[in-house]
Amino acid sequence: RRDRYSGDRWQRKMCIRNNIEADGYIATNNHVVENAVEIEVILPDKRIFTATLVGLDPNTDLALLKIDATELPAVKFGNSDIVEIGEWVLAVGYPFSLNTTVTAGIVSAKARSIGIINRPGTPNGDGNSQNMNTAVESFIQTDAAINPGNSGGALVNLNGELIGINSAIASRTGSYSGYGFAIPVNLAKKILDDLKKYGIVKRGILGVSFPAPIAEDQFFKQQGLDPAKVRGVYITGVLKESAAEASGLQEGDIIQSIDDIQMTSSTEFSERIARHKPGDTIKLDYLRKGT
């Protein structure tokens, strides 16, 4: 991406990111196209298109574009749930306006929350009126070099399958320091499908609150709990008239699995909930007072 200021408006020029369908649907980051008046897409064969913004989701930093083109090569979707730490990956993008750059690295971690998406405003999937952060962060962390211009680009496995969409870096200088973060494709698929069908994201809300990942251990110690013994997601509150209240969840419960998938962190829990639409039924296993 190259940003340039022209008169009273921002124009965004963007080389193609993730062409997800042959008829011109393109996935990118919300922060790449947010507030843009005009979006221009340049294909690798140097064709230039004016893109239509189909929809945005600031809560996951995703956006969907459409260009008037057909028979384009489309990326094959992988499965981010089965990605393993230590697995080799490639990051694709246009860092510093260097066209079609590929870097290699490994998956360093999964279900990372780094606090970069912070959208106060309305009660979120954790449902607490005192916690108004609507962000869903469960990044794949990689040491493949990601720099400004990689945003919205593909993170692929060695089979060339899309497993993540590059979104952020952790750096004191603004350039690569070994820590890149990508939105897992299994979450992205749900968000992009909603944007294509409805123009917005229809997000299911369970209606529970839990400690922020960065302050989780401190919270447990304040409550006299041993962080090593809390195996799951500790519920600190239940939203009134929510699905959680209707099903009998209570403050102090520890959700241990969703649909028989063991939960090891609140970031993983948030992602799993965010994959669901309103009206979906899920199975929760939880611990209450040792039972």
Side-chain angles (χ1 to χ4, degrees):
R1 187 194 76 183
R2 298 185 290 276
D3 294 351
R4 62 180 184 180
Y5 188 74
S6 174
D8 295 325
R9 66 180 186 173
W10 282 97
Q11 294 177 318
R12 301 280 173 96
K13 275 192 170 183
M14 185 177 73
C15 293
I16 190 166
R17 294 304 195 229
N18 289 304
N19 188 43
I20 58 173
E21 293 187 19
D23 55 352
Y25 281 97
I26 298 169
T28 188
N29 288 142
N30 170 74
H31 76 258
V32 171
V33 297
E34 188 179 37
N35 300 321
V37 174
E38 182 179 300
I39 305 169
E40 197 173 73
V41 172
I42 306 170
L43 302 185
D45 61 12
K46 302 190 185 298
R47 285 184 291 165
I48 299 175
F49 295 85
T50 298
T52 300
L53 179 62
V54 178
L56 296 168
D57 183 36
N59 295 319
T60 54
D61 194 26
L62 286 168
L64 183 64
L65 309 177
K66 178 70 167 66
I67 62 174
D68 187 13
T70 58
E71 298 183 1
L72 297 175
V75 66
K76 181 180 179 182
F77 281 45
N79 182 354
S80 53
D81 288 348
I82 63 173
V83 170
E84 296 184 354
I85 295 172
E87 180 177 339
W88 282 96
V89 290
L90 303 176
V92 185
Y94 289 73
F96 305 116
S97 299
L98 298 172
N99 291 351
T100 319
T101 296
V102 177
T103 55
I106 62 168
V107 172
S108 305
K110 296 174 65 177
R112 280 282 198 237
S113 177
I114 58 175
I116 198 169
I117 306 176
N118 188 13
R119 301 282 174 173
T122 56
N124 69 342
D126 62 23
N128 188 348
S129 60
Q130 296 179 342
N131 182 351
M132 306 292 279
N133 182 7
T134 58
V136 179
E137 286 192 4
S138 186
F139 292 121
I140 297 171
Q141 181 181 327
T142 178
D143 64 354
I146 294 175
N147 281 292
N150 277 106
S151 292
L155 186 72
V156 301
N157 60 23
L158 294 187
N159 293 323
E161 298 168 333
L162 183 71
I163 60 166
I165 297 177
N166 302 327
S167 183
I169 59 175
S171 171
R172 294 181 178 179
T173 64
S175 298
Y176 172 69
S177 296
Y179 306 96
F181 302 91
I183 302 159
V185 72
N186 287 12
L187 173 62
K189 279 193 284 191
K190 191 273 181 186
I191 303 302
L192 297 171
D193 284 346
D194 276 8
L195 292 177
K196 182 181 177 183
K197 291 178 183 177
Y198 314 114
I200 60 172
V201 177
K202 296 191 175 185
R203 197 184 313 279
I205 295 175
L206 178 60
V208 297
S209 58
F210 42 83
I214 195 170
E216 196 170 48
D217 287 352
Q218 182 181 357
F219 171 83
F220 291 146
K221 290 175 183 177
Q222 289 173 346
Q223 301 298 313
L225 300 170
D226 181 356
K229 293 182 179 180
V230 180
R231 305 291 177 136
V233 180
Y234 188 94
I235 302 305
T236 59
V238 178
L239 186 68
K240 289 189 178 301
E241 300 182 359
S242 67
E245 184 185 59
S247 63
L249 284 173
Q250 299 176 9
E251 181 179 342
D253 290 346
I254 300 174
I255 296 176
Q256 298 187 308
S257 69
I258 298 178
D259 293 329
D260 297 322
I261 304 297
Q262 180 68 41
M263 293 294 100
T264 58
S265 68
S266 57
T267 53
E268 184 183 6
F269 174 76
S270 295
E271 181 197 341
R272 290 280 175 176
I273 294 296
R275 294 187 197 176
H276 288 279
K277 292 181 171 62
D280 285 355
T281 299
I282 60 174
K283 175 188 173 184
L284 298 180
D285 292 319
Y286 60 90
L287 188 69
R288 177 179 296 167
K289 296 181 180 179
T291 301

